[in-house]
Amino acid sequence: MATAQTLLIIGIFVLVGFDGCFSASPEEEQNPNFWYVKGKEALRASLSMTFNMHRAKNLILFLGDGMGISTVTAARILKGQMEGKTGEESALAMDSFPHLALSKTYNVDQQMPDSAATATAYLCGVKANYGTLGLSAAARRYNCSTAKGNEVKSILHKAKMAGKSVGIVSTTRVQHASPAASYSHTPERGWYSDKELTSEAIAGGCKDIAYQLVHNTDINVILGGGRQYMFPKETVDPEYPTVTGSREDKTDLVQEWLKNRENSKYVWNRKDFDDVNEGQTDYLMGLFEPSDTRYELERDPSMDPSLTEMVEKAIKILRKNSKGFYLFVEDKRIIRVVSIA
């Protein structure tokens, strides 16, 4: 079987002081013919493109949460400068994609959107209200009674119903807004565990996001952070002795997930993750931090796998399905602004 090739784009936001001067531009760029040739090459490439009429068997959706135009531009410039150039003339791999587009990101009830309603839009196909997950705009934030009957189904759920294997990989807690829109229907993105549920939500029968992760759509691979929301508050975290679970219903959701699934495994550290035999595993849950995972520069490689490694493991498990697979991959830990005095 061919090795899965995974491309992850990491945007880096850099604050650099300049004195107003840049190094001299490359000599060839001073010649008008240089730009004429590049323009002709771009036109030829566009005119030579043909439509791909084949039907895709597998689908991977990569989300760089925080990768707006300015962040991507900063990453492109940094890449070029690390290559000894001025930077702007550099190109990222995504710049070579045959089709690029922009989308209008707003919520039905707010101009400035959030990750919950936008995830509902690109995963479920409908714009929604701020702070809500997997619900149409008929639902109201914080209001449990408005959720019932207004659920919308995600592409992950539809792929599973079509017989495909499905997975979620994220550098956030897997109950966070972006991945949670794949499987949950909740009027409040912050209801990670039953600890956060309001009395109105409990009385109305609304379930927390971690509960829905286990009981809604049958997901084959779940990799990221978010251990604390899966265990009772009496359970001490295996890595951090001062951290405990957050659940008040005394339910071990990991065991709930494992008990009804054949060839299933749960891991929380690098060694157990590496020991997973993909050929003998149909279900894998890996939760490597109590909350979100660490930034790549801060990650302990002896304890936590990288995003690339999680994606590769997920693909090796999911691709065994002859009907294909769907995988959602999110890198949330992209931008970290550091003030320098």
Side-chain angles (χ1 to χ4, degrees):
M1 300 177 75
T3 301
Q5 299 296 317
T6 306
L7 174 65
L8 302 177
I9 310 297
I10 299 178
I12 303 176
F13 185 63
V14 183
L15 300 177
V16 183
F18 290 103
D19 60 5
C21 298
F22 293 90
S23 58
S25 59
E27 189 166 339
E28 67 269 18
E29 293 186 9
Q30 301 175 36
N31 186 336
N33 192 56
F34 171 83
W35 301 107
Y36 298 153
V37 170
K38 291 187 74 68
K40 289 179 181 179
E41 290 174 349
L43 284 171
R44 289 195 190 102
S46 295
L47 292 171
S48 64
M49 282 197 307
T50 57
F51 288 108
N52 183 345
M53 304 304 293
H54 299 289
R55 183 174 182 176
K57 177 180 178 181
N58 307 313
L59 173 63
I60 304 177
L61 195 162
F62 288 100
L63 174 70
D65 197 329
M67 290 181 66
I69 293 176
S70 58
T71 306
V72 173
T73 300
R76 187 184 297 114
I77 292 173
L78 177 63
K79 176 177 180 288
Q81 291 176 347
M82 292 176 69
E83 296 171 347
K85 305 172 185 177
T86 57
E88 293 87 344
E89 75 281 24
S90 182
L92 299 171
M94 67 172 70
D95 295 328
S96 65
F97 290 176
H99 303 290
L100 300 172
L102 296 175
S103 62
K104 294 191 290 185
T105 52
Y106 64 92
N107 295 159
V108 171
D109 61 342
Q110 289 201 32
Q111 290 181 335
M112 179 60 70
D114 82 314
S115 295
T118 51
T120 301
Y122 61 74
L123 294 177
C124 304
V126 302
K127 286 196 176 292
N129 289 329
Y130 192 94
T132 63
L133 284 164
L135 297 171
S136 71
R140 298 291 180 266
R141 189 177 188 185
Y142 307 118
N143 191 331
C144 173
S145 65
T146 65
K148 189 175 182 179
N150 292 316
E151 300 89 348
V152 289
K153 299 189 183 306
S154 71
I155 186 173
L156 178 142
H157 181 80
K158 292 178 180 179
K160 188 67 178 185
M161 294 302 98
K164 296 180 182 294
S165 294
V166 298
I168 291 172
V169 177
S170 178
T171 55
T172 67
R173 65 205 85 175
V174 294
Q175 305 85 359
H176 206 262
S178 299
S182 297
Y183 59 82
S184 73
H185 311 284
T186 176
E188 169 46 40
R189 58 176 290 175
W191 291 349
Y192 298 124
S193 72
D194 64 331
K195 176 183 177 181
E196 290 82 25
L197 291 176
T198 63
S199 56
E200 182 267 342
I202 295 173
C206 280
K207 300 297 184 180
D208 61 87
I209 296 171
Y211 179 94
Q212 294 187 56
L213 170 65
V214 170
H215 292 94
N216 283 8
T217 303
D218 182 30
I219 305 175
N220 297 84
V221 177
I222 303 168
L223 299 174
R227 279 198 302 260
Q228 69 183 85
Y229 310 110
M230 308 296 286
F231 297 99
K233 60 183 181 181
E234 296 82 9
T235 303
V236 177
D237 188 84
E239 187 175 1
Y240 307 102
T242 60
V243 178
T244 64
S246 63
R247 302 201 64 79
E248 297 182 343
D249 60 6
K250 300 185 181 300
T251 302
D252 183 333
L253 286 177
V254 170
Q255 288 304 315
E256 286 284 314
W257 186 79
L258 289 170
K259 70 182 182 182
N260 295 321
R261 292 171 171 85
E262 294 183 3
N263 302 320
S264 61
K265 294 184 181 298
Y266 167 71
V267 298
W268 63 269
N269 59 63
R270 176 61 179 267
K271 180 184 181 305
D272 291 344
F273 175 82
D274 289 343
D275 289 344
V276 171
N277 184 324
E278 300 91 350
Q280 298 176 6
T281 304
D282 296 324
Y283 291 90
L284 174 63
M285 178 185 289
L287 305 177
F288 303 102
E289 289 289 338
S291 185
D292 298 336
T293 66
R294 298 179 181 274
Y295 286 95
E296 180 61 23
L297 292 177
E298 300 170 347
R299 179 177 63 88
D300 181 355
S302 68
M303 289 299 296
D304 302 336
S306 68
L307 179 59
T308 302
E309 291 163 335
M310 289 192 290
V311 171
E312 289 178 346
K313 181 77 74 174
I315 290 174
K316 289 177 181 178
I317 292 173
L318 298 174
R319 69 183 179 185
K320 295 183 299 179
N321 189 333
S322 61
K323 293 185 178 181
F325 68 84
Y326 165 80
L327 177 62
F328 174 78
V329 180
E330 177 196 28
D331 190 357
K332 176 79 171 180
R333 311 291 270 173
I334 290 178
I335 302 177
R336 184 169 186 177
V337 179
V338 179
S339 297
I340 302 177

